[in-house]
Amino acid sequence: GRAVPPLAALSWVLRLERSRRTGIVFPLQKLERYLSPGTDTARFRLFQPGLAALQRAEALFRSDRGHPIDYVSSAVRMDHAPPPALPEVCFIGRSNVGKSSLIRALFSLAPEVEVRVSKSPGHTKKMNFFKVGKYFTLVDMPGYGYRAPQDFVEMVEAYLQERRNLKRTFLLVDGVVGLQKTDHIAVEMLEEFGIPYVMVLTKIDRASRGVLLKNVLEIQEFVKENTQGCFPQLFLVSSVEFSGVHLLRCFVAHVTGNLPAVEAS
Ligand code: GDP
């Protein structure tokens, strides 16, 4: 397998000086200090696990002999999907939003896991299923574009509407460019289906602080005013610097029912 990048592991991040550490573990909190006084930041800290929970979640994403993390299968239709035996999360987003990079970052402590990409035009777009021990499954949904083919739309819609074990959908939005037309279409679909979802802002290392702040505030306002099913706290990630990746692992562990301590609080 590949080498594990140091920042993929909390033990490394904890060795950094405080401000950098906060930026990596809680990137949204790091932004807080640059907001004008009086800005409502209650939504910045709705999910704020302690170190024990972060470590527990990390253990789930670290494979070993007794805890395999594997690519299971791909499916183009719902009847090809593996049985809905475990709690499941899925990741969706526009092509190029950084979805495969993020899934690779999440699984970076299990370097044997291969996150496949099928990007070449004309290549069949599939749902890829990953199994994390006996705890949960993670689905990499095919990236969508503005003019998505009908069979693709039908596959994604069928999955989101029918998948009984789906606990949460992670909608990835590019942190540099903010919400695009196709993202709004995805939001409308998720709202129409009435399923719970979370927005994840990607590539935050690439956005200037000003751009990032603008996008975060705009999207937060949009979520507040226009959505029912979206978790009010945004998740910010960089797959290059591993910012937000540890927190996201923890949230995945939480929504799949694998973090009883956080659930109780
Ligand atoms: P996908 O089509 O959604 O799977 O997107 P990819 O993960 O392939 O990423 C698309 C492009 O964005 C690639 O060139 C990645 O290297 C780049 N990228 C993805 N995530 C990040 C990130 O967190 N930071 C930076 N700087 N680049 C990223």
Side-chain angles (χ1 to χ4, degrees):
R2 277 160 283 129
V4 174
L7 293 175
L10 271 172
S11 56
W12 259 89
V13 176
L14 294 174
R15 290 185 210 168
L16 302 171
E17 55 88 18
R18 190 191 175 91
S19 156
R20 221 179 136 217
R21 198 171 64 210
T22 306
I24 292 180
V25 182
F26 299 110
L28 196 53
Q29 257 177 56
K30 178 83 183 276
L31 276 186
E32 256 188 67
R33 68 179 76 155
Y34 303 103
L35 294 170
S36 45
T39 310
D40 180 14
T41 56
R43 291 161 170 247
F44 279 35
R45 292 166 182 252
L46 296 172
F47 181 73
Q48 195 181 19
L51 183 57
L54 288 163
Q55 282 168 333
R56 197 165 164 164
E58 177 171 296
L60 287 176
F61 282 89
R62 196 184 283 282
S63 60
D64 62 41
R65 216 172 299 155
H67 176 58
I69 302 178
D70 291 322
Y71 159 80
V72 183
S73 62
S74 297
V76 287
R77 297 204 327 252
M78 276 306 282
D79 51 341
H80 295 163
L86 295 173
E88 192 160 276
V89 291
C90 79
F91 285 68
I92 65 172
R94 284 188 300 120
S95 307
N96 237 34
V97 75
K99 186 162 53 59
S100 0
S101 303
L102 178 59
I103 294 174
R104 232 175 268 130
L106 289 169
F107 286 141
S108 52
L109 300 172
E112 72 279 13
V113 175
E114 217 185 295
V115 180
R116 296 155 185 230
V117 280
S118 56
K119 278 191 186 159
S120 40
H123 202 287
T124 314
K125 296 182 166 190
K126 294 174 179 160
M127 310 183 264
N128 297 314
F129 291 80
F130 298 89
K131 191 170 172 214
V132 178
K134 53 184 192 300
Y135 298 100
F136 63 91
T137 41
L138 185 154
V139 190
D140 179 10
M141 298 296 280
Y144 53 77
Y146 184 48
R147 302 177 135 264
Q150 193 55 30
D151 53 348
F152 164 72
V153 173
E154 279 161 15
M155 166 174 75
V156 174
E157 290 191 350
Y159 170 85
L160 294 171
Q161 277 181 304
E162 294 169 23
R163 194 70 171 164
R164 280 180 287 121
N165 55 333
L166 179 61
K167 299 299 178 194
R168 202 71 57 121
T169 297
F170 292 79
L171 172 60
L172 274 49
V173 175
D174 193 312
V176 181
V177 298
L179 281 175
Q180 305 286 298
K181 200 169 201 163
T182 35
D183 302 321
H184 283 288
I185 294 171
V187 167
E188 277 166 29
M189 174 177 71
L190 293 164
E191 289 289 324
E192 185 193 320
F193 297 165
I195 60 178
Y197 62 102
V198 190
M199 268 195 226
V200 179
L201 261 67
T202 61
K203 307 183 192 175
I204 63 164
D205 61 284
R206 230 191 234 174
S208 69
R209 187 181 298 141
V211 165
L212 192 57
L213 273 171
K214 173 179 159 290
N215 286 338
V216 165
L217 294 174
E218 269 178 20
I219 296 172
Q220 220 152 24
E221 187 61 18
F222 171 82
V223 167
K224 189 174 171 186
E225 297 301 326
N226 302 286
T227 69
Q228 298 281 323
C230 186
F231 189 66
Q233 178 179 331
L234 300 181
F235 285 78
L236 273 50
V237 295
S238 160
S239 305
V240 174
E241 297 180 343
F242 285 88
S243 322
V245 169
H246 307 271
L247 187 63
L248 197 61
R249 283 183 188 139
C250 200
F251 194 67
V252 168
H254 169 56
V255 297
T256 55
N258 290 300
L259 267 193
V262 173
E263 248 163 356
S265 70

